[in-house]
Amino acid sequence: MLHRGFEWIAVCGVGALLGGLAWETWFTGAGGAAIPTLLLLALAACFAAQLVADLLSGLAHWLADRVLSESTPVLGTHFVKPFREHHEDPESITRHDFVEVNGNTCILVAPLLALATLGVAQAEPGAARSTAGAFAFFLAVWLCLTNQFHRWSHTAERPVWLLALERTKLVLARDHHARHHKAPFDTHFCITTGMLNPLIDGLGVFARLERAAGCRAALPDPLR
Ligand SMILES: [Zn+2]
Ligand SMILES: [Zn+2]
């Protein structure tokens, strides 16, 4: 119950902070830069933030699935456990409401977003401030929507607009994410859009990290 309260506060807090950051980025922070320039910079920042969010989602998901355990202090209960439960019952995520699906991500993102907003507010107005603000804004948006995209990828009946978004790779596609839920459960960890999975899995990045850390043999096997 207490955690549910934190989730609500974090979801509302992220919404308010995004409004503040947008104001500091595109209104008080533009410093007279031309609108077409601001639009182009915002588009570039949006795409870069999407790639970074996908990478971070993969890293966090891999850590939860393969490295950490439910007994890990602080993170075990609210970060690792939901990932483990998700593998036991992948469709349960579709029965969760918006706050339950996205609350934990917002709890992690909110303090960082507050710092980014303060940093942007104190910078000199101009194109550099607008670009940095736009990157922070879109990174927070993509990160906070990651588990929502993940939820949608487990939903069998999807509206036409969502299927269109899947085709444009703006959200995680159902078929793509389904590969993560197949044995041996060691690929397709990125769950924002999944755009980076072919590259990361092709290079064997996470398998190399596990071998380098010598932790594969010691891993728990909670996913089967
Ligand atoms: Zn997983
Ligand atoms: Zn899943």
Side-chain angles (χ1 to χ4, degrees):
M1 197 63 193
L2 181 65
H3 187 72
R4 175 82 173 169
F6 280 129
E7 288 177 331
W8 264 105
I9 292 168
V11 169
C12 296
V14 163
L17 284 166
L18 283 175
L21 181 55
W23 180 265
E24 294 295 341
T25 298
W26 289 295
F27 292 95
T28 60
I35 289 177
T37 307
L38 291 176
L39 277 176
L40 271 178
L41 291 173
L43 261 181
C46 183
F47 181 66
Q50 189 185 44
L51 289 176
V52 173
D54 204 35
L55 178 64
L56 292 176
S57 77
L59 193 58
H61 186 176
W62 169 73
L63 282 171
D65 274 10
R66 307 279 296 183
V67 179
L68 304 175
S69 77
E70 289 182 47
S71 56
T72 302
V74 185
L75 295 175
T77 306
H78 294 299
F79 176 67
V80 178
K81 195 170 174 216
F83 276 104
R84 301 295 167 86
E85 288 174 347
H86 176 61
H87 277 276
E88 287 164 14
D89 181 6
E91 306 314 313
S92 69
I93 193 172
T94 64
R95 299 188 290 275
H96 297 164
D97 66 22
F98 184 85
V99 171
E100 188 167 0
V101 169
N102 303 294
N104 275 343
T105 316
C106 288
I107 288 172
L108 291 173
V109 168
L112 299 173
L113 185 56
L115 285 175
T117 305
L118 277 176
V120 168
Q122 286 169 359
E124 280 293 313
R129 170 166 154 173
S130 276
T131 308
F135 179 79
F137 178 90
F138 287 116
L139 182 59
V141 168
W142 288 118
L143 286 174
C144 287
L145 288 177
T146 289
N147 217 27
Q148 185 63 42
F149 295 169
H150 183 204
R151 179 192 193 275
W152 284 339
S153 77
H154 282 281
T155 306
E157 298 291 326
R158 301 183 314 292
V160 174
W161 60 267
L162 185 50
L163 294 172
L165 285 179
E166 278 189 26
R167 277 194 292 275
T168 57
K169 311 284 185 209
L170 281 172
V171 299
L172 184 65
R174 182 174 167 81
D175 291 352
H176 181 92
H177 181 59
R179 290 175 225 168
H180 175 69
H181 285 278
K182 288 196 170 76
F185 310 98
D186 59 358
T187 63
H188 297 78
F189 288 101
C190 298
I191 53 173
T192 305
T193 62
M195 204 184 298
L196 288 178
N197 281 326
L199 180 66
I200 288 175
D201 293 336
L203 294 173
V205 172
F206 291 134
R208 285 168 196 263
L209 284 174
E210 288 175 16
R211 278 197 297 274
C215 62
R216 184 184 283 275
L219 283 171
D221 194 10
L223 307 182
R224 281 152 238 191

